[in-house]
Amino acid sequence: MRLAQTTAVLLSTALILAGCSEQASQQATPQGPMMTIDVASVQMQPAQRWHSFTTRLEAPSKVALKSRVSGQITQTFFSEGEQVQKGQPLFQIDPRPFAAQVDRLKAQLISNSAALAQAEREAQRAQRLLAKNAMSTEQAGQRDAILKQRQAERSALKAELQAAELDLEFATIRSPINGVISRAEITAGNHITAGQDVLTRIVSNDRVYAYFNVDERTWYQDFAGINAQSQARVILQNLRKSAEGEAITGRIDFIDNEINARTGTLRIRAVFDAVAHQLKPGAFARINLAAQGASPTAIVPERAIGTDLKNRFVLTVDGDNTLQYRRVQLGERYGEFRAIQSGLEPGELVVANGPARVGPGMTVSVNEIPLNFSDTRFVMAPAQGADNALSAAR
C-alpha cells in the first residue's frame, strides 16, 4: 500500500515538471511576424448581365436537289464540294425524248395553223352568204363552231408545246441557289424519277443563322424592349474561336411573334457573316446576349477567385484580420475583373491575389490596394465591336 502511494507521488511530480519544461520552452521561442497580403474592397459597378445560349449553326438556304423530269442522267458538270452559283448546270438528263416531244408538238401546231386559216375563211364566207340569204343560219353556225374548235385546238397545242419546252429545259438541272455542293448521290447512267430521287445537297455559305430560345421570365426581365428592327448585337463563340480567345459579332434579325406555350420560351435568331469568320452550318456555338440595362453589381479582381472542387470562392478578411472562406456565384468577366452574383457585400475586403499563399483561419496584416476601373467597360456600347465587350462569356 505504501509502495503504491509512493509511486503515484513520483508520477505526479514527473508530469508537473514536464509541463513546466514545455511552457518554458514555448516562452523561450519567439513568434514570427504576421504575413502582409494585398486586399481589395468589393466595389459596386453598373454592369450589364450576359446570358449564354447553346445552339447549332444553320444555313439560311439548303436544298435537297431533285429533278423535275424523269430520265437517265448522262453527265455531271461539277466537282463535289465546290462553290456553285445560282443557275449553274449540275446534271444533264438525256434530252432527246423531250426534244422529240417539242418537235412533234411544233409540227401539230403547223398543221393546226393551216386548219385554223381554212376555218376562218369558211366562217367569213358563211357570214357573207348569210347576209344575202344564200345560206341558212344553221350552216353558218356550224362553220363558226368549227372555227372556234380550231382556235381551242391551237391554244391547247401551244400549252402542250410550252410544257414540253419546259421539260426540255428541266433536263439540264441547274443550281437553284449560291452555295457549296455536296457529293453526287446519283451518278451518270442511272435513271431518276421526277420529284423523288435526291441528286445532291446544296447549302448557302454567305451567312449562317443561330436559333436559340429565351425563357419567358428572362425575356421580360432583360430583353423586352428588343425587336428585330433594333438589330441588337450578339457575340458568338464556336469551338475554334473559343480556343483562340476570339469572339464573333452578329445581330438579331428575327424574333418570333409568340411565346411557345408548351416550353415557355421565345424563339430568337441571330445572323453572322459566314465567309469572314469561316463558319459552317451544323457547328456547335454559344450565343452571348447582353441585357438591355445595367444594374449595380459586385466587382472583384479575377485573380482573387479560387476553385475548390466544383465551387468558386474568395478569402475575406474579418474584423480580427482573420481570413474566412466565402463561396461565391460568378457572373461575367470584364477584362481583369469579375462580376459576383451572390456571396459578397459592398465594402468587404477580399484577398486580391487569391488563395495561393494563404488559407482560411490565418491571421494576417492587410495592405488595401485600390481597384482601377478606368480602362474597363462594364457595358457594351451599341456602336462598339466585340473587343470592347471584354470577353463577356463566362
Side-chain angles (χ1 to χ4, degrees):
M1 184 66 179
R2 181 175 296 177
L3 179 60
Q5 292 177 346
T6 302
T7 302
V9 171
L10 291 175
L11 182 59
S12 300
T13 303
L15 292 173
I16 292 172
L17 291 175
C20 293
S21 176
E22 182 178 355
Q23 184 177 1
S25 176
Q26 290 178 350
Q27 292 177 351
T29 303
Q31 294 183 351
M34 289 186 295
M35 180 183 297
T36 300
I37 61 170
D38 292 336
V39 298
S41 175
V42 177
Q43 302 290 321
M44 301 296 289
Q45 292 290 326
Q48 275 181 321
R49 288 188 299 175
W50 286 77
H51 298 268
S52 294
F53 309 91
T54 56
T55 185
R56 292 276 176 181
L57 300 180
E58 297 183 22
S61 300
K62 48 187 176 182
V63 176
L65 190 63
K66 299 180 181 179
S67 174
R68 296 186 181 186
V69 294
S70 300
Q72 187 178 44
I73 295 178
T74 59
Q75 194 175 0
T76 58
F77 303 109
F78 65 93
S79 298
E80 295 177 327
E82 73 172 353
Q83 174 79 31
V84 295
Q85 302 300 317
K86 183 178 181 179
Q88 177 180 334
L90 301 177
F91 294 89
Q92 180 63 59
I93 295 176
D94 187 355
R96 292 174 296 177
F98 307 107
Q101 177 72 353
V102 169
D103 291 341
R104 183 181 67 81
L105 290 169
K106 284 181 177 179
Q108 288 184 359
L109 193 58
I110 293 173
S111 175
N112 173 264
S113 296
L116 178 60
Q118 178 65 26
E120 287 175 345
R121 288 192 297 269
E122 291 292 336
Q124 291 171 0
R125 183 169 178 268
Q127 292 300 319
R128 290 195 299 269
L129 293 174
L130 183 62
K132 297 178 181 180
N133 293 322
M135 178 179 284
S136 67
T137 304
E138 182 180 357
Q139 288 176 322
Q142 288 177 349
R143 293 187 181 186
D144 187 61
I146 292 174
L147 174 60
K148 292 180 178 179
Q149 182 179 355
R150 296 293 182 262
Q151 290 173 337
E153 289 174 354
R154 182 174 180 82
S155 296
L157 285 171
K158 283 185 175 181
E160 288 185 37
L161 178 59
Q162 185 178 11
E165 288 174 338
L166 284 174
D167 286 345
L168 179 58
E169 180 183 344
F170 294 154
T172 301
I173 302 173
R174 302 175 183 273
S175 175
I177 62 172
N178 297 333
V180 177
I181 194 167
S182 182
R183 68 184 185 89
E185 301 285 348
I186 301 177
T187 54
N190 290 284
H191 188 278
I192 59 173
T193 303
Q196 293 186 14
D197 300 308
V198 176
L199 302 175
T200 188
R201 289 176 168 80
I202 307 171
V203 296
S204 60
N205 66 334
D206 56 337
R207 299 174 299 159
V208 289
Y209 288 154
Y211 287 92
F212 57 97
N213 296 318
V214 179
D215 67 88
E216 182 177 357
R217 180 176 180 180
T218 300
W219 172 259
Y220 283 119
Q221 182 176 346
D222 290 334
F223 307 115
I226 295 177
N227 55 46
Q229 289 70 38
S230 66
Q231 297 283 294
R233 187 183 299 273
V234 296
I235 294 178
L236 176 148
Q237 290 181 316
N238 65 355
L239 296 179
R240 182 178 65 84
K241 290 297 182 182
S242 295
E244 297 175 3
E246 300 179 4
I248 300 168
T249 58
R251 296 185 181 277
I252 289 176
D253 73 333
F254 166 76
I255 299 173
D256 211 345
N257 57 2
E258 62 179 353
I259 293 174
N260 188 319
R262 254 184 335 107
T263 62
T265 59
L266 185 64
R267 191 75 162 161
I268 311 294
R269 184 180 73 198
V271 60
F272 300 89
D273 187 336
V275 177
H277 303 295
Q278 301 177 359
L279 301 175
K280 283 189 174 294
F284 171 84
R286 179 177 288 107
I287 302 297
N288 297 308
L289 179 60
Q292 284 185 283
S295 57
T297 306
I299 302 294
V300 299
E302 171 68 21
R303 62 181 183 273
I305 301 167
T307 302
D308 180 12
L309 297 178
K310 295 186 296 183
N311 300 325
R312 297 298 183 90
F313 71 94
V314 297
L315 294 178
T316 62
V317 182
D318 64 13
D320 298 327
N321 282 358
T322 301
L323 301 183
Q324 303 293 337
Y325 177 96
R326 185 75 61 82
R327 182 179 174 182
V328 294
Q329 183 177 356
L330 301 185
E332 290 73 32
R333 181 175 178 178
Y334 304 92
E336 298 179 356
F337 300 98
R338 173 73 73 164
I340 303 297
Q341 293 184 350
S342 63
L344 289 176
E345 297 295 332
E348 288 190 292
L349 297 179
V350 299
V351 176
N353 296 315
R357 299 172 53 202
V358 292
M362 291 180 58
T363 301
V364 295
S365 175
V366 298
N367 174 42
E368 185 171 351
I369 59 174
L371 299 181
N372 183 12
F373 299 132
S374 59
D375 297 329
T376 303
R377 299 181 64 89
F378 297 100
V379 178
M380 184 180 69
Q384 301 300 321
D387 293 338
N388 286 336
L390 295 174
S391 303
R394 298 180 185 177

